[in-house]
């Protein structure tokens, strides 16, 4: 895992990233006369980047002007992705960033680091495939240590979340997911309690049990808690994540091409929850956070639950299951009901919940819906710009709940089709009685092509967002 450090001296053979203000540039101690002229020329031509090859070392020039707002920060992350590519191609192991301000250095470092992710667990020739880049240093005398430490922590948590999503169900079944949470808890310092099947049955978590019926592997219900003595909050922030380790659709079977084949990603919500707890605990943020993950696969077996079945949820609500592929809402509903006991300040759930969210906005944003007040929503939107994990808000109109009316039970698990991300959220809302925000991450959780610093496969979307959001809550 790549490491970012602050330094106050550099050697002559260092590979450099120079972030230059194109409005004020005159010269730089790192550039020769010819290079300085080349930079001035590039500024005239309104270029955004130049690369000098000094033989032993490289100098990447980023030409930037104006304030480092969220748009400029995102451009720097994307520039970081390009730099990472060149660095790896040239077998560079260390890069030093020199900038006028810490924010632009940190954003560039973040982009380079996020692009350096590799998932090699199942490759035989790991050594040969592991790239060279292992260190990013930032030349700065007044870099605040906390900013660097927290960036390293959230990057590590994002990489763990990506790893979890990239793991196939042949390894990462519900039991193994709980083992991974326990390892994370031990490493970062948060508590992990795992309910086994007997406990889940005794508690009558009917949604989770119904989805698990066709499986050979028992479900788990995972409760993670980070409660530092100096917590600023009396009531916990609760994060809930969909932990469907694989979604075949059940008896309402998914077609394989472009549908079932990526469904190892259906536990990405749980990766956000565990990843965020990991980062919060490692950074020792003074904030009380609880994570809840109902985990199972949605398999087919002789005992599978079937369309038409009526199940009784943990809350006592009866649900007529009209489609076994709408399983995420069933397992989440039980966790959302459990959250009521915790007297939460706010509950945020993360789920690869609907194809409708993907059809609405593709991989570029999460669908967002919630009952939290406008101030909290504004805070999460601010964080979403800060880390560039965009959200698009959809309304929780009651018409979408009407679609869930059942002839024979309290409700069905299936909306009418259009706006499926909304009817799914209306289903979840039924099981909440607290300020709540729902993130349908079905689009951005798993990439089918590389997108700058977001790799193919698991992206870890949600972890940077929640860490930023909770960091700000912790410092209020
Ligand atoms: N896991 C899927 C949603 C999904 C789709 C995740 C694409 C990631 C990428 C979910 O369980 C599902 O199958 N939803 C159905 C619900 C429908 C039957 C109401 C859907 O969206 O098609
Ligand atoms: Zn499904
Ligand atoms: Zn699913």
């Amino acid at each position: 895992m790549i490491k970012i450090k602050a330094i106050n001296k550099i050697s002559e053979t260092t590979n450099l990233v120079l972030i230059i203000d194109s409005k004020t540039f005159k010269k730089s101690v790192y550039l020769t006369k010819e290079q300085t002229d080349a930079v001035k020329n590039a500024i005239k031509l309104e270029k955004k980047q130049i690369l000098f090859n000094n033989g032993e070392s490289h100098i990447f020039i980023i030409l930037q002007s104006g304030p480092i707002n969220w748009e400029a920060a995102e451009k720097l992350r994307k520039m970081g992705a390009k730099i990472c590519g060149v660095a790896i191609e040239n077998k560079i192991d260390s890069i030093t960033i020199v900038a006028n301000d810490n924010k632009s250095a940190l954003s560039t470092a973040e982009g380079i680091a996020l692009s350096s992710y590799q998932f090699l667990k199942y490759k035989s020739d790991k050594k040969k495939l592991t790239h060279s880049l292992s260190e990013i240093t930032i030349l700065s005398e007044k870099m605040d240590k906390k900013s660097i430490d927290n960036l390293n922590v959230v990057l590590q948590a994002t990489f763990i979340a990506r790893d979890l999503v990239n793991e196939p169900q042949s390894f990462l079944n519900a039991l193994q997911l709980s083992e991974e949470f326990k390892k994370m808890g031990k490493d970062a310092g948060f508590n992990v309690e795992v309910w086994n099947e007997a406990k889940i049955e005794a508690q009558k978590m009917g949604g989770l049990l119904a989805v698990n019926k066709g499986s050979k592997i028992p479900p788990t219900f995972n409760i993670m808690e980070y409660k530092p003595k100096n917590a600023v909050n009396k009531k916990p922030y609760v994060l809930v994540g969909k932990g469907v380790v694989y979604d075949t659709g059940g008896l309402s079977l998914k077609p394989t091409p472009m549908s079932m084949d990526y469904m190892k990603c259906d536990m990405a919500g749980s990766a956000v929850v565990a990843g965020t707890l990991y980062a919060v605990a490692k950074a020792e943020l003074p904030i009380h956070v609880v994570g809840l993950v109902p985990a199972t696969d949605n398999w087919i077996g002789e005992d599978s639950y079937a369309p038409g079945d009526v199940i009784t949820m943990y809350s006592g609500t009866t649900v007529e299951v009209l489609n076994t592929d709408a399983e995420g809402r069933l397992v989440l509903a039980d966790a959302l009901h459990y959250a009521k006991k915790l007297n939460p300040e706010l509950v945020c759930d993360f789920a690869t919940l609907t194809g409708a969210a993907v059809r609405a906005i593709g991989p570029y944003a999460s669908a967002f819906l919630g009952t939290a007040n406008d101030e909290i929503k504004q805070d999460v939107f601010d964080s979403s710009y800060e880390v560039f994990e965009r959200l698009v808000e959809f309304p929780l109109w009651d018409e979408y709940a009407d679609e869930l009316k059942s002839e024979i039970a309290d409700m069905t698990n299936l909306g009418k089709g259009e706006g499926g991300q909304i009817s799914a959220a209306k289903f979840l809302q039924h099981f909440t009685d607290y300020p709540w925000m729902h993130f349908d991450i079905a689009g951005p959780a798993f990439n089918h092509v590389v997108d700058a610093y977001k790799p193919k496969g698991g992206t870890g979307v949600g972890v940077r967002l929640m860490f930023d959001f909770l960091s700000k809550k912790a410092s209020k």
Side-chain angles (χ1 to χ4, degrees), residues 24 65 207 250 295 304 331 341 343 382 404:
T24 58
S65 68
S304 284
V331 303
K341 292 191 216 220
N343 186 26
D382 289 349
L404 300 167

Side-chain angles (χ1 to χ4, degrees), residues 238-258:
V238 178
L239 311 179
V240 176
K242 174 175 174 182
V244 173
V245 291
Y246 194 79
D247 184 8
T248 67
L251 288 177
S252 313
L253 189 64
K254 283 183 188 295
T256 311
M258 292 310 292

Side-chain angles (χ1 to χ4, degrees), residues 302-358:
E302 29 184 12
D303 291 329
S304 284
Y305 76 138
D309 283 359
V310 175
I311 62 176
T312 304
M313 306 291 284
Y314 187 37
S315 70
T317 298
T318 57
V319 174
E320 184 185 10
V321 176
L322 291 182
N323 191 317
T324 61
D325 197 12
E327 85 298 341
R329 62 198 73 181
L330 299 175
V331 303
L332 285 170
D334 284 352
L336 290 171
H337 178 70
Y338 177 91
K340 291 174 189 163
K341 292 191 216 220
L342 302 171
N343 186 26
E345 178 70 35
L346 172 72
V347 177
C348 300
D349 81 70
F350 296 84
T352 44
L353 200 62
T354 64
V358 189

Side-chain angles (χ1 to χ4, degrees), residues 172-179 181-182 193-223 243-246 293-299 330-332 334:
L172 195 67
N173 59 35
L175 298 172
Q176 189 60 41
L177 185 63
S178 296
E179 290 307 312
F181 294 160
K182 284 189 206 159
E193 182 187 340
V194 181
W195 289 8
N196 63 13
E197 187 169 31
K199 174 91 190 203
I200 295 165
E201 276 170 356
Q203 291 286 322
K204 300 198 175 78
M205 286 192 156
L208 179 55
L209 289 166
V211 174
N212 182 255
K213 272 185 82 183
S215 178
K216 284 199 205 126
I217 295 147
T220 62
F221 184 68
N222 304 273
I223 306 163
V244 173
V245 291
Y246 194 79
V293 173
T296 177
D297 48 50
N298 185 21
W299 212 255
L330 299 175
V331 303
L332 285 170
D334 284 352

